Amino acid sequence: MRLVVAGASGRMGQTLIRMIAETPGVVLAGAIERTGSPAIGEDAGRLAGLDANGVIVTDDPLGLLTSAEGIIDFTAPAATVELAALAAQMRIVHVIGTTGLSKEDFARLKAAARHAVIVQSGNMSLGVNLLAAVVKRVARSLDADFDIEVLEMHHNRKVDAPSGTALMLGQAAAEGRGIDLDANADRVRDGHPGARQKGHIGFATLRGGTVVGEHSVIFAGENERLEFSHKAESRTMFARGALKAALWGFGRKPGYYSMADVLGLGDF
Ligand SMILES: NC(=O)C1=CN([C@@H]2O[C@H](COP(=O)(O)OP(=O)(O)OC[C@H]3O[C@@H](n4cnc5c(N)ncnc54)[C@H](OP(=O)(O)O)[C@@H]3O)[C@@H](O)[C@H]2O)C=CC1
Ligand SMILES: O=C(O)C1=N[C@H](C(=O)O)C[C@H](O)C1
């Protein structure tokens, strides 16, 4: 499968280029960066710390996507929405790891999924997707006497909060409990917010150092507490998950899919 990597010089982009080089069944067909990026014109292999591979980083996705079967995109919301429209035009697979997407962004991605095979997830790792399934199941068994809090920590370069994973875990908890997340989320607390509202799902965000990504979902009841955690130790499993999603989506009918679909966790 011929794959283009968007955000090629980013943390995930470089990890993907290395992972594609060692994964059977996929080949790097192109590498895209933001217009004005110093990476434009560089060799993508070299950029990722490998030998030169002859794939030169460009800011012209259209030219590349005509001869590709999929694009893997860990970039920024505005770029992802534009790339989804191009993926729809080319009727190819678009694997989206970008987080910080707004409601409007999601609506545009869903529109693009009428023609593209879109696999989108705030976290591409098997571990986090299993964790989300567990959280949903536990939330179904515990009533609102158990306060649900989602805690996350990431490196000091991360620009969005709460993380995509934290929101995904919050969504899983809300679905398990049968409530609407937007109407029941406490995403920020500051000053004098008053006592915790029963039934709400709280979020807490930590940023520092080089932490790849850590998430905990806490169910705090009277005199007892359940905690479920995931700690990412490198970015390789995000990249592995994204490649698995691309191969899974290849030849599939257009639609909007999740990693739970890819991993077969729907009825977990
Ligand atoms: N779903 C998952 O499993 C995971 C998701 N993520 C998410 O992926 C995203 C990227 O993370 P990370 O790699 O750490 O971030 P980086 O900032 O290291 O990489 C993002 C790259 O995308 C580039 N970019 C920005 N705009 C465009 C554009 N229009 N076209 C092409 N490239 C563009 C950036 O360029 P420049 O720096 O010049 O602006 C940068 O090189 C984040 O939203 C993050 O939360 C991360 C890990 C796992
Ligand atoms: O920005 C990151 O680094 C990560 N982002 C994703 C998120 O927002 O949850 C996934 C992972 O935790 C790393």
Side-chain angles (χ1 to χ4, degrees), residues 14 17-18 21 28 42-56:
Q14 291 185 37
I17 290 166
R18 288 193 290 273
L28 184 68
E42 297 281 332
D43 181 279
R46 283 228 182 91
L47 207 58
L50 304 173
D51 290 340
N53 59 16
V55 175
I56 302 303

Side-chain angles (χ1 to χ4, degrees), residues 7 9-12 33-34 74 79 97 99 121-124 158 238:
S9 72
R11 284 173 288 271
M12 279 305 299
E33 255 304 333
R34 178 183 55 75
F74 289 73
T99 58
S121 178
N123 197 301
M124 299 280 173
K158 187 162 177 62
F238 303 139

Side-chain angles (χ1 to χ4, degrees), residues 18 49 71 120 176 209:
R18 288 193 290 273
I71 173 161
Q120 181 274 326

